Amino acid sequence: MSSSPHRAGISRRRAVGLFGVVPLIGMTACSGSSVMPAGWDRAVVSGAYVPVRSDWQHTAAPGGIGLFSDMWQEAASPSHVLAVGSPSAGLDLQGMLAETEDTLRSSLPGFRVTSQQAAAERSGGQLLYEDFTTTFTGATSGRIWLLTNEKSAIAVVLMAENLDESYRDVVDAELSLQSSDLPAVDSGWTRVGRGTTSFAVPGTWAVTGAPTKSERWTDSWADADMDGAARARVLLAPDTGEPGVVDALAQIESDAVAGALPRYVRLSEPVELELDGQENASGIRVYFAYGNGRTAQGALWVLSIAGTVSAIQLSFSGPTDQGIVSRMERSIWLTAT
């Protein structure tokens, strides 16, 4: 594949322990604002928009921490950790909270709730939150959020040795469920994304984080074996920094030819996308081949809305799976922020 998943960060032992007393503050009863604060992105995970720091590393949550699937972590140490997951189906809000507490209690020494529960309306659903502390050095304070409506539910935890209240306040204000206006994804698929761009991947694909040393691709998901060998991997660049799709395509292809995708060659000229119902959004798609013998193939989408140019790169270890390409392209949704 084009690049290996980013391996830097906390060890499994430390990650399992990094689950953390801050005064309970008031929370507005409205959904998240349309403009994220500087230095923050809006990630799409588990049916919700989750605010994450732009420079935090996205990885899969380590095994052994229950319901959590995704983790974002500060590179500096001691660091903040934000974990996201889906509570078990069929639980009410109190049941979801109990499940989340049990997950943290089993992972963190000295886990103890330090505030009363508080509730608020959010995104047409219900939000429940509370603060906690642990005796684990490096994650002594934290907050749990549970957000649910009739269709989806999400659990979010933010923790640190010294929790930055401004970070906590951003999550308070910006955490929200996805709009019902987004197109439904195929059965067995899940919507992911960051910033202006979201799309769907098969639900069995694993979070593999940013490619090593990449300054463009911030997130990836892969159909991978237990040993990490990937049959397919999709990379997301939520903001290429380029002024237009043509410029971004040229830069991505230049980097591919230079070694990001060895022996990269186009298999098609750019084709304009039909982004139905997405005002002021545009994009193009290119098919490509790469590798020894150029037997591996893939698709590259470059997208634009409201001055932000993003990119999605899907690569296979062999011939292109047109069914996956078609489903992924059909799910692309751009939202101006």
Side-chain angles (χ1 to χ4, degrees), residues 72-127:
W72 282 263
Q73 185 190 8
E74 212 171 358
S77 183
S79 64
H80 285 72
V81 173
L82 187 146
V84 182
S86 298
S88 298
L91 297 176
D92 60 15
L93 198 56
Q94 287 296 326
M96 295 177 194
L97 182 61
E99 182 183 37
T100 305
E101 290 175 346
D102 287 345
T103 295
L104 299 177
R105 189 174 290 110
S106 66
S107 303
L108 294 169
F111 172 83
R112 180 172 58 88
V113 174
T114 60
S115 73
Q116 293 183 345
Q117 298 174 17
E121 297 290 331
R122 178 65 55 85
S123 306
Q126 291 291 318
L127 180 70

Side-chain angles (χ1 to χ4, degrees), residues 126-137:
Q126 291 291 318
L127 180 70
L128 190 66
Y129 59 102
E130 66 183 15
D131 297 326
F132 65 89
T133 185
T134 81
T135 58
F136 181 83
T137 302

Side-chain angles (χ1 to χ4, degrees), residues 28-51:
T28 60
C30 61
S31 63
S33 67
S34 61
V35 180
M36 291 294 290
W40 289 80
D41 287 335
R42 182 175 283 113
V44 176
V45 60
S46 299
Y49 294 110
V50 180

Side-chain angles (χ1 to χ4, degrees), residues 138-150:
T140 55
S141 58
R143 175 167 286 187
I144 300 168
W145 294 264
L146 272 299
L147 180 59
T148 184
N149 60 16
E150 294 180 353

Side-chain angles (χ1 to χ4, degrees), residues 26-334:
M27 181 179 293
T28 60
C30 61
S31 63
S33 67
S34 61
V35 180
M36 291 294 290
W40 289 80
D41 287 335
R42 182 175 283 113
V44 176
V45 60
S46 299
Y49 294 110
V50 180
V52 298
R53 292 286 299 174
S54 304
D55 58 348
W56 287 2
Q57 299 167 353
H58 182 200
T59 63
I65 55 173
L67 58 85
F68 295 101
S69 59
D70 292 64
M71 179 179 291
W72 282 263
Q73 185 190 8
E74 212 171 358
S77 183
S79 64
H80 285 72
V81 173
L82 187 146
V84 182
S86 298
S88 298
L91 297 176
D92 60 15
L93 198 56
Q94 287 296 326
M96 295 177 194
L97 182 61
E99 182 183 37
T100 305
E101 290 175 346
D102 287 345
T103 295
L104 299 177
R105 189 174 290 110
S106 66
S107 303
L108 294 169
F111 172 83
R112 180 172 58 88
V113 174
T114 60
S115 73
Q116 293 183 345
Q117 298 174 17
E121 297 290 331
R122 178 65 55 85
S123 306
Q126 291 291 318
L127 180 70
L128 190 66
Y129 59 102
E130 66 183 15
D131 297 326
F132 65 89
T133 185
T134 81
T135 58
F136 181 83
T137 302
T140 55
S141 58
R143 175 167 286 187
I144 300 168
W145 294 264
L146 272 299
L147 180 59
T148 184
N149 60 16
E150 294 180 353
K151 294 182 178 180
S152 60
I154 189 172
V156 178
V157 173
L158 178 66
M159 56 207 136
E161 181 174 346
N162 294 294
L163 193 67
D164 188 319
E165 293 187 9
S166 68
Y167 290 0
R168 183 200 62 194
D169 292 349
V170 171
V171 181
D172 279 343
E174 300 295 339
L175 179 64
S176 63
L177 294 171
Q178 289 176 3
S179 169
S180 59
D181 294 336
L182 269 68
V185 300
D186 291 331
S187 177
W189 287 53
T190 185
R191 184 166 292 279
V192 297
R194 187 188 287 215
T196 65
T197 305
S198 72
F199 58 100
V201 301
T204 56
W205 286 22
V207 176
T208 48
T212 303
K213 298 181 180 179
S214 175
E215 296 182 359
R216 173 182 296 123
W217 310 107
T218 63
D219 306 86
S220 72
W221 298 261
D223 176 20
D225 295 326
M226 293 296 291
D227 62 1
R231 292 175 288 270
R233 175 170 287 122
V234 61
L235 309 178
L236 171 63
D239 188 349
T240 64
E242 301 294 336
V245 295
V246 173
D247 305 271
L249 176 61
Q251 188 59 58
I252 293 169
E253 290 191 311
S254 176
D255 291 346
V257 170
L261 281 174
R263 299 183 60 78
Y264 173 95
V265 63
R266 274 189 192 178
L267 295 179
S268 70
E269 291 302 309
V271 173
E272 186 173 351
L273 301 179
E274 296 182 3
L275 299 173
D276 295 338
Q278 301 184 59
E279 187 176 355
N280 300 320
S282 62
I284 55 176
R285 181 217 323 119
V286 171
Y287 287 108
F288 61 84
Y290 69 100
N292 293 333
R294 289 171 174 156
T295 56
Q297 299 177 350
L300 171 65
W301 295 271
V302 185
L303 310 154
S304 177
I305 189 169
T308 298
V309 178
S310 59
I312 303 167
Q313 179 178 285
L314 172 62
S315 53
F316 298 91
S317 60
T320 295
D321 185 324
Q322 193 58 52
I324 290 178
V325 171
S326 297
R327 289 183 178 191
M328 197 169 288
E329 181 170 303
R330 191 166 61 244
S331 72
I332 292 173
W333 189 264
L334 306 180

